[in-house]
Amino acid sequence: MGLFQIPPPTRYDLRFSVAGISVRVHPLFWLISFLFGFSANNILYTFLWVIAVFVSILIHELGHAFAFRRYGLRSSIVLHFAGGLTIPESVSWGSGWANVALRPKEEIFISLAGPFSGFIFAALLIGGVIAAGGSIAVNWFLGFIPLPTVGSIPFGGAFLTVLVILLLSVNIFWGLVNLVPVYPLDGGNVARYALMQYDPYGGVRKSLWVSVISGVIVALIGLVFLRSIYMALLFGFLAYQSYQSLQNRF
Ligand SMILES: [Zn+2]
């Protein structure tokens, strides 16, 4: 998913590739992650947080990238100040170049592949902790969503335990947030293509209304139950954006 335009390359970008998928990390990605996890009296915690965010968002975007590859599309990943983005490339089509139009079911698969690669990674971590003789505990988020966390790990000390706890919570939370049917999150794309399958002409409009309503609901949950001004502002802004699209396009 991507909230904003892709930032242009800088000389400070970190570049590498994973299984043939090129990854570019904009310097602001590190700064924003650092500020979000900043803890003045525990700088080691901040450091572990940045690692957890980096690994989790990379796994999420790799999920999208491998799903694109499944449908014959190459893609590249950019991690920037507002998360990550997987950009499919145009593919060569006979003599010319064309964008391959994906079918709604394929678009839905690609959108779900991001959050679910994070959930699978979290499940593997839980399996690893249990196999190593450690224990898993469950936190109840909002009273009804089970969020697994680490009870104990028999080795690696506090360092490893904190890192695994952060990896679990970021992977699961990031996946759940992305499944909310709000544009331009993955859930917003899923809602669009799911509704378009049943209503090719009105599906996009309906998905924008779903986006407005669920954006407002999540903003209120963030404000009232989580006391998170950030979540309220973010989802309020996304709901407003969808509302504007409705005004402009329909
Ligand atoms: Zn995504």
Side-chain angles (χ1 to χ4, degrees):
M1 69 103 183
L3 301 185
F4 303 96
Q5 292 221 309
I6 309 156
T10 77
R11 56 192 293 198
Y12 302 107
D13 287 357
L14 172 70
R15 289 166 177 277
F16 58 96
S17 69
V18 180
I21 295 153
S22 69
V23 180
R24 177 164 76 84
V25 188
H26 191 275
L28 278 180
F29 175 84
W30 305 112
L31 181 67
I32 299 295
S33 307
F34 180 84
L35 292 177
F36 258 85
F38 184 68
S39 166
N41 45 20
N42 196 342
I43 205 72
L44 181 64
Y45 172 86
T46 308
F47 176 69
L48 292 175
W49 161 265
V50 172
I51 293 177
V53 167
F54 171 70
V55 170
S56 304
I57 296 185
L58 185 60
I59 285 172
H60 177 105
E61 299 305 329
L62 282 171
H64 290 310
F66 284 122
F68 275 122
R69 183 180 279 179
R70 178 188 154 122
Y71 300 116
L73 286 172
R74 286 173 57 85
S75 61
S76 61
I77 293 170
V78 179
L79 303 190
H80 55 84
F81 58 93
L85 196 61
T86 304
I87 308 137
E89 290 171 2
S90 301
V91 293
S92 141
W93 207 249
S95 54
W97 291 84
N99 276 306
V100 173
L102 293 160
R103 283 177 295 185
K105 273 192 177 134
E106 297 170 338
E107 294 276 8
I108 290 171
F109 182 88
I110 290 165
S111 296
L112 290 178
F116 278 88
S117 61
F119 297 151
I120 291 166
F121 178 69
L124 290 173
L125 276 178
I126 290 169
V129 169
I130 292 169
S135 66
I136 294 293
V138 173
N139 287 331
W140 291 92
F141 179 63
L142 297 177
F144 72 97
I145 302 171
L147 287 187
T149 185
V150 175
S152 67
I153 301 179
F155 56 86
F159 186 87
L160 184 66
T161 304
V162 170
L163 180 61
V164 177
I165 287 173
L166 287 172
L167 281 170
L168 278 179
S169 56
V170 176
N171 266 283
I172 295 169
F173 195 72
W174 184 252
L176 290 176
V177 164
N178 266 289
L179 285 177
V180 176
V182 174
Y183 283 109
L185 303 179
D186 295 324
N189 283 325
V190 172
R192 170 171 56 195
Y193 290 107
L195 288 165
M196 273 170 68
Q197 278 196 302
Y198 297 101
D199 184 357
Y201 301 102
V204 174
R205 199 178 80 90
K206 284 177 184 164
S207 70
L208 281 164
W209 275 114
V210 168
S211 179
V212 171
I213 293 162
S214 43
V216 169
I217 291 171
V218 174
L220 288 175
I221 289 174
L223 196 63
V224 176
F225 294 104
L226 305 178
R227 302 191 187 283
S228 167
I229 299 285
Y230 171 75
M231 208 163 148
L233 284 176
L234 174 67
F235 278 92
F237 171 71
L238 295 180
Y240 174 71
Q241 254 193 346
S242 293
Y243 183 71
Q244 273 200 318
S245 298
L246 275 166
Q247 301 297 306
N248 294 340
R249 291 169 61 182
F250 298 100

